[in-house]
Amino acid sequence: MKSAEKAFRLSAWPISCLLPAIVLLCFSSVTQANTPFNDLLIPPLIDSKHSNTPIHIEIRNGQHEFQTGIKSATKGYNGNYLGPTIRNYRNQPTRIQFSNKLEEMTTVHGHGLHVPGSIDGGPQNKIPSNATLDVTYPNQQQASTNWYHPHIMGSTARQVHAGLAGFFLIEDENSLTLGLPNTYGVDDIPLAVQDRTFVEGRMQPYPKIMPHDLREPTLIINGTLNPRVKVPRSLVRFRLLNASNARSYEFNLSNDATFYKIATEGGLLEAPVAIQSLKMSPGERNEIVLDMSDGQTVELIAKLLPKKYHSIFAVLIPFSKKVSMLRVEVDETLPRRTATLPKTLNTIHFYQPDEATVHRHFDIGEMDINGQQMDMSVINFRVEKDILELWTIDGGRHPFHMHGTSFQILSRNGKPPEPEERGWKDVVYPNGEVSILLKFQHEATEEFPYMYHCHILEHEDMGMMGQFTVE
Ligand code: C2O
Ligand code: CU
Ligand code: CU
């Protein structure tokens, strides 16, 4: 969108149009189920160091209890809902066999992984029903919180909604020796945030006809309704993943306390950044650290952001519904752990924009990118390996993601990014126009190209996606 045109469109939004929307939002009753607390489910850990290879992951139908005693029809990896957290170590390859026990095709995409297109798990890497895919992940990238989920053209939204998603963590020398909280499930806790509809405690299946973006009223974490977690009286690290189909959130603490952001999608920040709130669009990950040393219970609050919250629509944010998402309680019987955060976390080599020889522009339309829709037989562009590129995404309300590497944000609407965004990322909510710098180290051929797309899963399924090669 040209800026003159943009200015016109913005001014064409008189406050009189916004008022009814605001009123509607204030009264729209989005309720959290009024049930007792359930202990937060922690996905089982498969540590690649201590497990026999190959690791077996079965993709199957299940029956999951979001609320103790009430079963819902779901899908999961090795379990009923979601999948195990796979912990990997830099430069130590992990071999996994994925067996598809569903009656439909699926793929397993390693979201955030720097891997060749041939093992990226995009729409071309199909695993037919009853087939097994054998993949060896090289794990060459730095410590980061990644995830895996289906990426099958037209069915991604439904399959993820049913429960197919899991964490894929990479650790390295640095992350393991820094002194960060890193005891899985104790002071290093993954939180997959999703929104679902429950009727009498039962999760409602994905609608028969795909909606434009499925936004549901009730939040769950790691497949737990009304979760509570008990933690030691020390620093606690949460690895937040917005695994929702379409919803974005703004998180903060019930006491408005400061917490620390230590990592974005692709790795640790250079230093912890003190924040009081954090917005996350679908597909994004952030690691945060809470100080629980005062022993007080705190709640993680999520504001359910409106469908559009970019530019002028940001005026709606204060009016959006808030829900208590997770109760964090100190358990005095747990031994105390980490007391202080390291001052420096990582060394980031920042790309220089004048070294970018290729510029690309992505104009995100209502359901297209640069006027094009996904066509499995079309390669939308070709990238040369190891060359720095500058991409400009003019995207408004669509979280943009691309496969194969991590990027750095150069600017947002012409301004440098905030310290909390000065790290490695692979999803960005453009909030106007965002410029990113990126480089690809792996190959993606025409047979197995990389994807770029909107991470609202319905938009992705409806074709808001394209493919590119790296050679
Ligand atoms: Cu999380 Cu192309 O995906
Ligand atoms: Cu991805
Ligand atoms: Cu979108």
Side-chain angles (χ1 to χ4, degrees), residues 190 300 422:
L300 211 52
R422 289 175 51 83

Side-chain angles (χ1 to χ4, degrees), residues 346-363:
N346 201 2
T347 314
I348 299 178
H349 161 76
F350 287 98
Y351 293 139
Q352 295 308 312
D354 49 355
E355 285 168 17
T357 46
V358 180
H359 292 208
R360 298 182 200 275
H361 193 88
F362 298 83
D363 210 333

Side-chain angles (χ1 to χ4, degrees), residues 6-21 308 310-313 315-316:
K6 193 177 278 172
F8 169 74
R9 287 215 197 161
L10 297 188
S11 62
W13 261 90
I15 197 74
S16 59
C17 293
L18 285 172
L19 273 177
K308 301 179 183 182
H310 62 289
S311 63
I312 194 172
F313 302 104
V315 301
L316 297 172

Side-chain angles (χ1 to χ4, degrees), residues 90-126:
R90 191 173 195 175
N91 294 328
Q92 295 180 28
T94 306
R95 184 172 162 209
I96 308 182
Q97 282 179 345
F98 294 100
S99 299
N100 180 8
K101 301 290 177 208
L102 305 173
E103 52 298 302
E104 59 180 310
M105 287 212 203
T106 189
T107 79
V108 183
H109 167 54
H111 179 140
L113 301 189
H114 303 182
V115 296
S118 55
I119 57 164
D120 179 58
Q124 281 84 357
N125 288 134
K126 291 188 190 101

Side-chain angles (χ1 to χ4, degrees), residues 22 69 83 86 98 104 182 204 264 267 289 336 362 413 454 463:
I22 292 171
I86 305 165
F98 294 100
E104 59 180 310
N182 70 352
Q204 299 306 290
T264 45
V289 172
R336 295 189 186 189
F362 298 83
N413 297 313
C454 170

Side-chain angles (χ1 to χ4, degrees), residues 109-112 120 147 149-151 283 285 401-403 427 451-453 455 457 460 465:
H109 167 54
H111 179 140
D120 179 58
W147 62 306
H149 65 76
H151 217 301
R285 287 93 64 211
H401 168 57
M402 92 289 131
H403 293 196
V427 182
M451 303 294 127
Y452 61 102
H453 58 94
H455 217 287
L457 300 182
E460 173 186 332
M465 177 156 70

Side-chain angles (χ1 to χ4, degrees), residues 398 454 456 459 464:
H398 301 273
C454 170
I456 290 179
H459 295 185
M464 210 167 180

